[in-house]
Amino acid sequence: MKDCKDVINELKSIIQKYDNIVFFGGAGVSTESGIPDFRSVDGLYNQQYDYPPETILSHTFYRKNAAEFFRFYRNKMLFTEAKPNAAHLKLTELEQRGKVRAIITQNIDGLHQAAGSKVVLELHGSVLRNYCENCGEFHDMEYILHSEGIPACKKCGGPIKPDVVLYEEGLDQNTISEAVYYIQNAEVLMIGGTSLAVYPAAGLIDYFKGDKLIVINKAPTPRDNYADLLIQAPIGEVFSQI
């Protein structure tokens, strides 16, 4: 078993050697910014509500009970004070150095962009974008946060829907195609802060045919046995050392 210093040095060596790295991340990337992981011990899935979060955040529930959906959404999905952490900032630095070609994220918080990353593929959308279902008018997160009940469009009065992928909804095909392209062509795929339990997003890993697979996650993942480098630690903690 390699000690912590050895794996960090190995990670540094891989980053130094390769200039075509793709990062695939999940909720664990943002937990160190104070955004809860749905599936962690302290995550939203383990808190008590009138309905399970999976139900509230479904397309069916949104259509049938939009007022309750937005009550939960405002309380538990919008984090206006969250700031990028060491993982977000290091990925931005690596992109600027020509190392990281793309960030593929399952997160909807916009923190990669807030850190300065340019090529960010958001598989599940973003809470920063909200659109009127009637006229398409854009509304920011603050507008949703400070609205009441079902938010109404400031232009036409129509209902507003967050640009996030709810349960029962499909992923954006253009985003999927871009993600497949980057993963297929990557020399190094770095998986961080994700349990790889959410499909179809997790299935994108199957397209990787490059040289090095790196997995950085606190808990075990289905890809651990395939990793050329496995680091079981918080990703922000790891990235602050490289």
Side-chain angles (χ1 to χ4, degrees), residues 171-189:
L171 304 188
D172 178 76
Q173 286 307 305
N174 290 333
T175 305
I176 289 289
S177 295
E178 276 194 86
V180 168
Y181 169 80
Y182 279 110
I183 291 172
Q184 277 182 329
N185 290 283
E187 294 175 304
V188 176
L189 179 61

Side-chain angles (χ1 to χ4, degrees), residues 34-36 38 43-44 47-50 53 56-57 66-81 127 141 144-149 151 162:
I35 296 178
F38 270 60
L44 296 179
Q47 299 177 25
Q48 298 301 312
Y49 302 97
D50 292 340
I56 298 173
L57 296 175
E68 181 66 9
F69 168 89
F70 276 107
R71 187 172 74 87
F72 176 88
Y73 185 77
R74 291 185 188 96
N75 289 340
K76 298 298 178 184
M77 302 299 291
L78 303 181
F79 296 89
T80 56
E81 303 302 316
V127 296
M141 180 172 66
I144 303 300
L145 190 63
H146 296 110
S147 62
E148 294 182 1

Side-chain angles (χ1 to χ4, degrees), residues 196 213 215 217 219-230 232:
L196 295 175
L213 178 64
V215 177
N217 198 52
T221 82
R223 302 290 171 150
D224 289 359
N225 291 335
Y226 302 94
D228 296 288
L229 179 62
L230 175 63
Q232 291 188 315

Side-chain angles (χ1 to χ4, degrees), residues 109-177:
D109 50 49
L111 289 180
H112 286 294
Q113 292 94 326
S117 292
K118 303 301 182 188
V119 184
V120 182
L121 306 182
E122 296 172 311
L123 296 175
H124 297 146
S126 173
V127 296
L128 304 183
R129 300 186 299 268
N130 306 272
Y131 297 99
C132 174
E133 295 197 84
N134 287 351
C135 73
E137 181 77 3
F138 168 81
H139 301 77
D140 62 17
M141 180 172 66
E142 292 290 334
Y143 185 85
I144 303 300
L145 190 63
H146 296 110
S147 62
E148 294 182 1
I150 303 169
C153 176
K154 57 193 173 189
K155 184 177 178 182
C156 75
I160 298 169
K161 185 179 185 296
D163 188 17
V164 298
V165 179
L166 302 176
Y167 289 100
E168 305 168 348
E169 293 181 343
L171 304 188
D172 178 76
Q173 286 307 305
N174 290 333
T175 305
I176 289 289
S177 295

